[in-house]
Amino acid sequence: MKEIYDRLVEHILDSQNKFYRIAYCYVYQKEAALDIVQNAICKALENYQSLRNVDAVKTWFYRILINECLQYIRKHKSEVLCEPAQLKEDLYYEDAYEPKIGVYEKVCNLPDQMKVIVILHYFEEMTIKEIAQVTKVNINTVKTRLYAALQRLKKEMEVELE
Amino acid sequence: MKLEEVKDVYDEIKVPGELDKMVRKSVKEHPFQGGGIKKNAKYKAVTFLKYTASAAAVILLCFITALNSNEAFAKAAGDIPVLGRIARVLTVRSYTKVEENKNISVNIPAVDIPSMDTTEQVPPQTDQADNQTDAGKAADQNDKFITDVNAEIEKVVDDYLADAKERCEADKQAFLATGGTEDEWAQRDLGINVDYEVKYQKDNTLSLILTADESWYGAYELTYYYNLDLGKNRKLTLSDVLGDKYIEVADTSIISQMKERVKQNDSYIYWGVTDNNELGITGFTTVNDNTKFYINEDGKAVVCFDKYEVAPGFMGKQEFVIE
């Protein structure tokens, strides 16, 4: 039990920046993202006793985090918008990034199921297997959704270029 | 463009400084709980303790009321283990000695509460296990507070004695150097006195003063004031005794008393208050958190000023009872 607690705390302290960025991808506001991360941490630290396997700590926590993100959005539907102006505030913005920000926005606008996979795979560099554990779906489902997401993004960008 | 490149944008998301602080705070607030207490069981234990704590509080209230209204009961109460913690001020060190022609007389006080064995029997009406823990904990905090205060008193006395001896030596050297003889020095009556007086002791409030002086010189007299709330384990402040408006109340009272005293005594003068500031010496302006005071036997606050603090030295220490 102590081992699991220690591993959890270690994970939290080491990866806090990642947690923040993921949350930010959902709510685009500093305060909201902080709230989400804090809630996730508290939930995790209150309920880790249910964990049996110390290796599961990492994916288990991401699961809680994503859930908190989704819950927040559900509660604050009207307030959550990916605004380019806001993004420029919250990013270390450089002109060279301009086209990339456009794509980033599109990722943010993906449907939840696709979005989480893109974020975890491309931004957090998690393996398909890990993503399957976090999202509690079949590995093949993850692959399918990922492919669908890429197709969609490509299509949207083509539309823009035309 | 590849999605991997979009990762650059993602990596550039600013992480606020507060994040780390917040994370560490959250972790601190959730320390590891050995033994795997489940959430529900913990909640139940807390509720249970709350009930027994309030039961204990009710018993205590009844006890205090009984204590104040019945003398026989009060006497018997001194013997009940858990509830019989009544404070006393003892003279913990008292000696007189003659050391190289110095007569040193010392009475050092210490606050004392008869020590308790908290595993003794508890009055039957209360829940034994939890009452012991609660009382035990309170007793420990109380002990610590009292130990701290006593240590402070001892240190003050020790420091004073060391200083006084030094001063005495220095004076003696000066005396001899300017032509005095050992015999003449021996004839001076050098006394170093440390003494205390309990000014007020009732319920949980204790007020005592510690005085130290060298009798032949007189100019180095020092007075220390200890006003203690033994129930809450802290020192009392003027605002505790006089209320929120203590500054207003005390200032008005002190100034009017000063004026009255000057009327009664031609030679009296209170710097800055009764002299139109002719001498340009700053005396009394206002009381504050550091103002020294003690509680007299009527339970009134008495504000104290050292010699020279608010008036010329010949007037000595000045005390004002605040009604």
Side-chain angles (χ1 to χ4, degrees), chain A residues 1 13 20 29-30 41 46 48 58 60 62 75 86 93 99 103 106 112 114 123 134 137 140 144 146 155 160-162:
Chain A
M1 214 18 84
L13 293 175
Y20 176 83
Q29 286 162 44
K30 185 178 90 163
I41 290 177
E46 282 159 15
Y48 68 88
K58 184 177 160 197
W60 179 72
Y62 276 116
K75 272 199 201 155
Q86 180 65 37
Y93 178 72
V103 180
K106 296 213 181 340
D112 287 338
M114 290 186 189
F123 299 159
V134 172
V137 296
N140 289 328
T144 314
L146 182 58
K155 205 155 150 221
E160 270 205 339
L161 290 172
E162 273 165 7

Side-chain angles (χ1 to χ4, degrees), chain B residues 123-242:
Chain B
Q125 305 99 312
T126 61
D127 183 323
Q128 307 215 358
D130 293 292
N131 206 5
Q132 278 168 11
T133 345
D134 284 347
K137 269 197 220 130
D140 284 340
Q141 280 173 348
N142 207 226
D143 278 343
K144 182 172 186 311
F145 175 66
I146 288 173
T147 311
D148 288 345
V149 171
N150 288 342
E152 203 184 316
I153 292 178
E154 275 220 36
K155 183 170 191 310
V156 161
V157 173
D158 286 341
D159 286 348
Y160 178 79
L161 285 177
D163 277 348
K165 286 186 190 168
E166 260 179 48
R167 272 197 294 274
C168 208
E169 261 314 297
D171 285 342
K172 180 174 175 184
Q173 294 309 321
F175 184 78
L176 294 175
T178 52
T181 66
E182 288 268 7
D183 281 336
E184 282 174 349
W185 180 259
Q187 276 162 23
R188 291 169 170 262
D189 178 21
L190 311 167
I192 303 177
N193 287 315
V194 175
D195 204 354
Y196 73 94
E197 196 185 334
V198 177
K199 288 293 197 184
Y200 180 83
Q201 181 180 0
K202 197 168 174 218
D203 297 333
N204 272 329
T205 311
L206 180 61
S207 179
L208 68 93
I209 63 175
L210 180 70
T211 50
D213 64 57
E214 292 149 80
S215 66
W216 76 280
Y217 207 152
Y220 278 108
E221 182 181 308
L222 291 172
T223 318
Y224 296 89
Y225 302 86
Y226 295 92
N227 306 302
L228 312 172
D229 180 343
L230 295 168
K232 300 205 184 112
N233 293 328
R234 61 185 194 79
K235 291 191 182 167
L236 289 168
T237 62
L238 258 184
S239 75
D240 288 325
V241 183
L242 295 176

Side-chain angles (χ1 to χ4, degrees), chain B residues 35-73:
Chain B
I37 301 174
K38 290 220 149 178
K39 224 166 142 188
N40 283 335
K42 203 168 90 171
Y43 174 77
K44 280 192 191 138
V46 169
T47 320
F48 178 64
L49 278 175
K50 275 191 196 153
Y51 280 124
T52 45
S54 49
V58 170
I59 305 284
L60 197 62
L61 193 60
C62 296
F63 169 72
I64 289 178
T65 323
L67 184 62
N68 290 335
S69 56
N70 186 334
E71 218 188 337
F73 179 72

Side-chain angles (χ1 to χ4, degrees), chain A residues 2 5 16-17 20-22 30 34 38 46 48 89-92 100 103 122-125 150, chain B residues 1 3-10 12-16 18-20 22-23 26 30-32:
Chain A
K2 182 96 177 34
Y5 174 85
Q16 51 179 285
N17 289 350
Y20 176 83
R21 291 198 191 101
I22 292 175
K30 185 178 90 163
L34 285 172
Q38 183 166 40
E46 282 159 15
Y48 68 88
E89 276 287 309
D90 292 340
L91 299 172
Y92 294 104
K100 295 186 191 175
V103 180
Y122 285 103
F123 299 159
E124 284 304 329
E125 294 171 336
L150 290 177
Chain B
M1 154 184 341
L3 264 182
E4 283 86 351
E5 290 163 6
V6 183
K7 181 164 161 21
D8 293 336
V9 173
Y10 175 80
E12 293 306 302
I13 296 175
K14 288 184 201 165
V15 177
E18 307 100 270
L19 178 68
D20 185 63
M22 177 272 281
V23 166
S26 299
H30 295 84
F32 177 68

Side-chain angles (χ1 to χ4, degrees), chain B residues 238-304:
Chain B
L238 258 184
S239 75
D240 288 325
V241 183
L242 295 176
D244 284 335
K245 298 216 162 119
Y246 75 96
I247 296 183
E248 233 184 279
V249 170
D251 284 355
T252 324
S253 175
I254 291 174
I255 291 179
S256 81
Q257 283 182 62
M258 283 181 173
K259 294 195 176 148
E260 189 55 42
R261 289 183 197 183
V262 164
K263 254 195 235 164
Q264 312 273 346
N265 285 288
D266 264 343
S267 56
Y268 269 29
I269 179 173
Y270 288 96
W271 294 322
V273 176
T274 60
D275 64 350
N276 301 321
N277 230 341
E278 287 160 349
L279 298 167
I281 302 176
T282 320
F284 173 72
T285 45
T286 177
V287 300
N288 58 35
D289 285 339
N290 294 325
T291 307
K292 292 180 276 228
F293 74 100
Y294 67 87
I295 302 173
N296 69 13
E297 51 192 13
D298 299 325
K300 304 269 180 220
V302 183
V303 173
C304 310

